[in-house]
């Protein structure tokens, strides 16, 4: 049985992706802060004949989470794929430092800790697949959520660095950067500016397909590839007026 670990699996994209992997026969390690939601998800996976391994963790607590991820890997007998999805995002155009600091703690420091453990594990095995969930927001800075946008740019850049490391080590390791546009999740529930918003189920299917095809980069949904190009290339003066 193939195995996958999804960090940030209690709600939203992570939850839907866990169910998608379980549906096709993967044993699924599910990790997140909310143990009650993980247990609910595990029951759903079990009900459809799948197998789930639960690990409560808060990736902002990096040293503890590193140990817990290593324990989950041992408990599962290893993993073929590790998805780092855990993230937070709140509007912070007032530059509230508490929100900014927490965003960095989870989306940058916590993400890096989990990706680091995953990459070291795969380098030791000489094979594997690491998936990071960044965002279309990382294409360019914005006033609405400065730390969130910057954190997602960091995720993409760090994944590119790990991909380069895998190549230089001649290791059979795939690094996939998933860049969602708007997806209807609890984290985006208060966003009244969303368009082209996909359901978590639709997003999960497209993410699963990108992972199976070992894509280096995938926009979710696919139409966001065009929007990413526009965001990157419109002149600064126009961007500052419309964002």
């Amino acid at each position: 049985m193939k195995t996958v670990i999804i960090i940030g699996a209690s709600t939203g994209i992570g939850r839907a992706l866990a169910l998608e992997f379980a549906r096709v026969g993967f044993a699924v390690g599910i990790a997140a802060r909310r143990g009650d939601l993980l247990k609910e998800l595990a029951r759903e996976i079990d009900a459809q004949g799948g197998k789930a391994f639960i690990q409560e963790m808060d990736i902002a607590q990096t040293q503890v989470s590193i140990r817990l991820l290593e324990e989950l890997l041992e408990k599962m007998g290893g993993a073929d794929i590790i998805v780092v999805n855990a993230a937070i995002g709140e509007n912070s155009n007032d530059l509230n430092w508490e929100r900014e600091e927490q965003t960095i703690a989870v989306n940058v420091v916590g993400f890096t800790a989990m990706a680091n453990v995953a990459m070291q594990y795969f380098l030791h095995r000489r094979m594997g697949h690491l998936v990071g969930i960044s965002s279309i927001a990382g294409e360019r800075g914005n006033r609405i959520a400065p730390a969130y946008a910057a954190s997602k740019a960091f995720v993409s850049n760090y994944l590119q660095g790990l991909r380069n490391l895998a190549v230089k080590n001649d290791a059979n390791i795939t690094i996939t950067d998933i860049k969602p546009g708007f997806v209807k999740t609890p984290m985006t529930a208060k966003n009244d500016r969303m368009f082209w918003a996909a359901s978590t189920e639709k997003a999960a299917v497209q993410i699963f397909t990108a992972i199976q095809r070992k894509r280096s980069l995938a926009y979710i949904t696919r139409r966001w590839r065009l929007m990413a190009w526009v965001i990157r290339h419109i002149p600064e003066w126009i961007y500052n007026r419309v964002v």
Side-chain angles (χ1 to χ4, degrees), residues 90-91 185-194:
E90 291 188 67
N91 290 353
T185 70
M187 192 171 76
T188 62
K190 296 179 182 178
N191 191 335
D192 58 1
R193 303 180 64 190
M194 291 199 303

Side-chain angles (χ1 to χ4, degrees), residues 11-225:
T11 62
I13 291 173
R15 188 182 199 281
L17 190 58
L19 289 169
E20 185 65 19
F21 271 105
R23 185 184 65 80
V24 298
F26 276 74
V28 185
I30 50 176
R33 288 186 301 114
R34 294 280 304 275
D36 55 333
L37 296 179
L38 290 178
K39 289 173 185 175
E40 181 183 312
L41 174 57
R43 285 193 294 268
E44 194 168 340
I45 290 172
D46 291 342
Q48 65 182 37
K51 186 171 186 179
F53 297 82
I54 294 175
Q55 184 66 72
E56 289 185 47
M57 66 166 67
D58 177 359
I59 68 169
Q61 307 298 319
T62 53
Q63 292 303 318
V64 176
S65 294
I66 286 170
R67 174 176 55 80
L68 292 174
L69 178 53
E70 290 171 344
E71 288 178 5
L72 181 58
L73 281 163
E74 185 175 352
K75 182 164 60 176
M76 294 179 64
D80 301 299
I81 303 168
I82 298 177
V83 181
V84 187
N85 171 66
I88 60 173
E90 291 188 67
N91 290 353
S92 186
N93 53 358
D94 61 350
L95 298 181
N96 177 281
W97 174 241
E98 186 177 344
R99 290 197 297 270
E100 298 277 86
E101 184 179 32
Q102 186 63 17
T103 298
I104 294 165
V106 175
N107 297 8
V108 177
V109 182
F111 166 82
T112 305
M114 298 298 93
N116 186 287
V117 173
M119 191 63 180
Q120 292 199 51
Y121 170 74
F122 290 143
L123 283 169
H124 179 74
R125 293 180 67 204
R126 307 291 301 167
M127 62 185 298
H129 193 160
L130 172 61
V131 181
I133 309 296
S134 60
S135 171
I136 193 76
E139 297 289 345
R140 199 161 180 173
N142 72 71
R143 62 177 174 80
I144 299 168
Y148 178 78
S151 73
K152 291 304 184 177
F154 174 88
V155 168
S156 293
N157 195 292
Y158 192 77
L159 290 172
Q160 187 174 38
L162 296 185
R163 189 179 300 115
N164 180 249
L165 181 64
V167 171
K168 293 300 182 183
N169 279 273
D170 196 27
N172 184 25
I173 300 171
T174 300
I175 308 292
T176 298
D177 182 2
I178 300 293
K179 291 192 176 187
F182 290 126
V183 179
K184 298 172 186 175
T185 70
M187 192 171 76
T188 62
K190 296 179 182 178
N191 191 335
D192 58 1
R193 303 180 64 190
M194 291 199 303
F195 58 96
W196 292 353
S199 67
T200 54
E201 292 78 14
K202 181 176 183 179
V205 168
Q206 290 197 15
I207 292 169
F208 177 79
T209 300
I211 293 170
Q212 290 296 91
R213 293 178 178 174
K214 296 190 174 184
R215 294 281 175 80
S216 295
L217 171 65
Y219 290 93
I220 307 299
T221 56
R222 298 181 188 94
R223 67 175 69 181
W224 283 94
R225 179 179 293 276

